[in-house]
Amino acid sequence: MKIAIFGTGYVGLVTGACLANLGHHVTCVDIDENKINSIKQGIIPFYEPGLPKLVKNNIQKKRLQFTTDAKTAINEAQAIFNCVGTPGKEDGSANLEYVFQVTKTVAVHTPSDQFKILINKSTVPPGTAKSCQKLIKETNPSSQVQILSNPEFLKEGAAVHDFTHPDRIVVGTNQTTTKNNELIEKAKSLIRKIYLGRSRLYIPFIETSWETSEIIKYASNAFLATKISFINEVANIADIANADIKVIAQAMGMDYRISSKFLGAGVGYGGSCFPKDVRALANTAKQFGYTANLLTQVDLTNKAQKDVLPNKILNYFQNKIENKTITVLGLSFKPKTSDMREAPSTHIIKKLIQNGAKIKAYDPIAIEEAKHLFTENELQSITFTQSQKDATTNTEAIALITEWDEFRTLDFESLKIEAPNCHVIFDGRNIYEPDQVIEAGFDYVGIGRQ
Ligand code: UDX
């Protein structure tokens, strides 16, 4: 099938490359000419394991192309995916400007006698698909473009795998209680055809209304974020009550109704989705006249959690960290990505600098992206190093912020020799065994671990 994808961010590029790999002919469209030219040369604008190879292979096989020419891409495509960004606004609501721009462009460039489906893959609040369909009609009253909602659930760092092995495929249409009309049936059968190569017996295909589909995505992200804020709160209680959150989470997770996933206490969640989507769902509720207290509290708990580790560092040193060298291991919001959006590391480093510390920071991938998030003044207090060893040599404290695999096997015995003035490890992700750290001669400070 001929498919156009609008937006070459995480969702758009992964969707485009994976659909091309299933055998479709995919054209990815973006308004950013420099970005398109770079991708054509195989330069992916972000770090995502497996994606560069997939893009390269499918370009070579002539199933994947990139352009800024929206008109031609729309004309040739039977199905168009809308994968542009929906960044959060000041008030927490999602900015739908780009989603509507693409919708309008599709309406303008689709001849009235052509049937096409326009699939909203971006995360959008309930009511967006309906507004898009209205916009299509207003722009071209005889248009046959049919809007579908088909949220994407991929995780950064595992995006290609998540796309090819989804837990479910959700498709929302303008279902009515009366008999569905012919165009909707045609649209549903077209999207089933797109995913034919992706579907497996064990992957449920859920067909529902636009609004239900839109809320499924928000609710899934908000629920996972709630789990994290919940376990972080219990970790803070465990700290005071002299209990161990790792054992608590492990035992809780054995109850199949709870499950152990997303019960990892730490420095707070970040990224492009959880913070934005929790706020957007709360904001949507507010627009409907409902106060979503739980969601607001999940967000506030997470904001507060970002202070927990720097406060522990300040407490440990009795607020005297002026000119102290503190090593920060890991900058990206989670491992296997260069994404720094809402990364707890930024907040933590800024707070330590405000209190006079000198930072040595290392991340396997995210250093360049991180540099843009600090002021000139702050940058004077940060040394970004080329390796973990450079960062941990001659330091006075080590704070693990992002649990990249290479930090899991820190050699504490060697550390003692390379950093004789370092007597403490702050474990922001609870990845180390306190006994081993203490045995090597360090103090151990985790999150909710006594
Ligand atoms: C998330 C959803 O998982 C995905 O389905 C959706 O499509 C987009 O949002 P992503 O933001 O890429 O994906 O990362 P995820 O692995 O979910 O982690 C989000 C944040 O939660 C990270 O900051 C991570 O460190 C944190 N986290 C995760 C915890 O603090 N504890 C946990 O137990 C799990």
Side-chain angles (χ1 to χ4, degrees):
M1 196 181 298
K2 288 202 159 166
I3 295 172
I5 310 262
F6 278 76
T8 52
Y10 277 99
V11 174
L13 204 48
V14 171
T15 303
C18 290
L19 288 177
N21 209 45
L22 287 178
H24 297 301
H25 286 267
V26 179
T27 303
C28 293
V29 188
D30 205 294
I31 47 172
D32 185 339
E33 203 164 338
N34 289 336
K35 198 171 170 190
I36 288 293
N37 288 336
S38 307
I39 302 173
K40 275 182 183 167
Q41 284 155 35
I43 304 162
I44 308 297
F46 47 84
Y47 175 80
E48 183 59 46
L51 189 59
K53 197 171 155 206
L54 204 63
V55 169
K56 198 171 151 221
N57 282 353
N58 284 285
I59 291 177
Q60 269 169 8
K61 295 204 167 128
K62 301 205 179 320
R63 290 192 298 239
L64 182 60
Q65 50 178 344
F66 296 87
T67 183
T68 51
D69 178 2
K71 188 178 172 190
T72 311
I74 293 167
N75 251 297
E76 289 174 352
Q78 287 168 273
I80 301 152
F81 282 87
N82 196 344
C83 301
V84 292
T86 52
K89 291 202 257 183
E90 243 343 73
D91 64 356
S93 64
N95 181 354
L96 298 175
E97 185 187 337
Y98 311 111
V99 171
F100 292 140
Q101 254 168 31
V102 170
T103 308
K104 198 156 183 189
T105 308
V106 171
V108 167
H109 293 305
T110 305
S112 300
D113 61 339
Q114 277 185 21
F115 172 78
K116 289 185 200 299
I117 52 174
L118 174 56
I119 304 147
N120 284 350
K121 222 175 212 328
S122 314
T123 304
V124 291
T128 306
K130 196 172 182 181
S131 303
C132 289
Q133 193 71 70
K134 197 164 155 245
L135 184 59
I136 299 266
K137 277 276 165 239
E138 281 166 7
T139 313
N140 178 1
S142 49
S143 171
Q144 292 191 51
V145 172
Q146 191 63 38
I147 301 284
L148 294 177
S149 161
N150 169 226
E152 183 49 58
F153 298 95
L154 57 81
K155 296 184 290 295
E156 290 178 22
V160 173
H161 178 270
D162 286 351
F163 189 92
T164 46
H165 299 79
D167 293 324
R168 71 296 205 193
I169 295 173
V170 177
V171 173
T173 62
N174 45 341
Q175 248 182 5
T176 53
T177 41
T178 54
K179 203 172 173 300
N180 282 337
N181 71 35
E182 206 185 311
L183 282 188
I184 301 173
E185 288 308 321
K186 229 169 135 181
K188 280 194 210 167
S189 107
L190 204 58
I191 195 160
R192 276 195 220 113
K193 236 172 157 180
I194 294 176
Y195 285 136
L196 215 56
R198 193 195 188 196
S199 46
R200 308 270 188 283
L201 275 182
Y202 55 86
I203 302 175
F205 200 93
I206 296 176
E207 285 178 2
T208 182
S209 70
W210 278 331
E211 291 79 5
T212 304
S213 162
E214 288 164 334
I215 294 187
I216 286 171
K217 174 64 201 250
Y218 270 125
S220 302
N221 276 356
F223 182 74
L224 293 172
T226 305
K227 263 189 114 173
I228 300 170
S229 273
F230 176 87
I231 204 67
N232 282 335
E233 184 142 281
V234 179
N236 298 337
I237 298 169
D239 257 332
I240 312 163
N242 228 10
D244 187 338
I245 194 64
K246 276 200 104 168
V247 183
I248 296 169
Q250 189 189 11
M252 280 175 66
M254 286 169 183
D255 184 330
Y256 73 93
R257 295 168 303 174
I258 298 174
S259 123
S260 57
K261 305 267 165 60
F262 284 74
L263 279 188
V267 288
Y269 60 76
S272 64
C273 296
F274 286 178
K276 159 176 94 67
D277 294 351
V278 169
R279 288 173 209 146
L281 186 55
N283 187 278
T284 301
K286 195 170 155 196
Q287 285 175 25
F288 287 118
Y290 179 81
T291 309
N293 286 326
L294 176 63
L295 297 176
T296 307
Q297 202 50 54
V298 166
D299 186 37
L300 290 177
T301 302
N302 191 57
K303 277 186 186 141
Q305 194 65 21
K306 292 184 180 177
D307 275 325
V308 168
L309 196 77
N311 285 347
K312 279 174 184 266
I313 296 175
L314 284 164
N315 275 346
Y316 182 88
F317 290 111
Q318 292 164 339
N319 289 331
K320 294 188 190 89
I321 60 167
E322 206 165 341
N323 289 323
K324 219 170 245 317
T325 303
I326 300 177
T327 294
V328 165
L329 293 181
L331 295 166
S332 54
F333 84 95
K334 66 170 197 178
K336 297 193 184 135
T337 178
S338 55
D339 201 335
M340 284 295 300
R341 282 175 286 181
E342 307 243 7
S345 65
T346 324
H347 177 80
I348 294 168
I349 292 174
K350 282 175 187 274
K351 188 159 177 167
L352 294 175
I353 291 175
Q354 273 160 23
N355 284 278
K358 301 278 173 228
I359 303 295
K360 283 218 261 180
Y362 171 68
D363 186 284
I365 299 290
I367 289 178
E368 284 315 309
E369 231 167 293
K371 281 180 182 168
H372 304 294
L373 301 172
F374 297 97
T375 63
E376 279 302 317
N377 243 345
E378 287 166 340
L379 284 172
Q380 288 182 5
S381 299
I382 311 174
T383 307
F384 293 100
T385 68
Q386 295 293 316
S387 68
Q388 170 255 301
K389 198 172 171 195
D390 287 349
T392 48
T393 302
N394 286 332
T395 189
E396 289 166 275
I398 295 171
L400 182 284
I401 309 291
T402 312
E403 70 280 29
W404 285 90
D405 277 347
E406 65 180 86
F407 303 144
R408 289 183 180 271
T409 49
L410 271 192
D411 179 353
F412 298 113
E413 311 293 337
S414 309
L415 268 186
K416 253 295 84 137
I417 300 160
E418 288 151 14
N421 296 326
C422 176
H423 306 295
V424 59
I425 311 277
F426 296 97
D427 183 1
R429 300 285 182 169
N430 291 344
I431 62 170
Y432 301 122
E433 280 317 310
D435 288 351
Q436 287 177 14
V437 177
I438 292 162
E439 233 167 72
F442 295 95
D443 287 333
Y444 175 87
V445 182
I447 308 283
R449 307 194 77 185
Q450 306 171 33

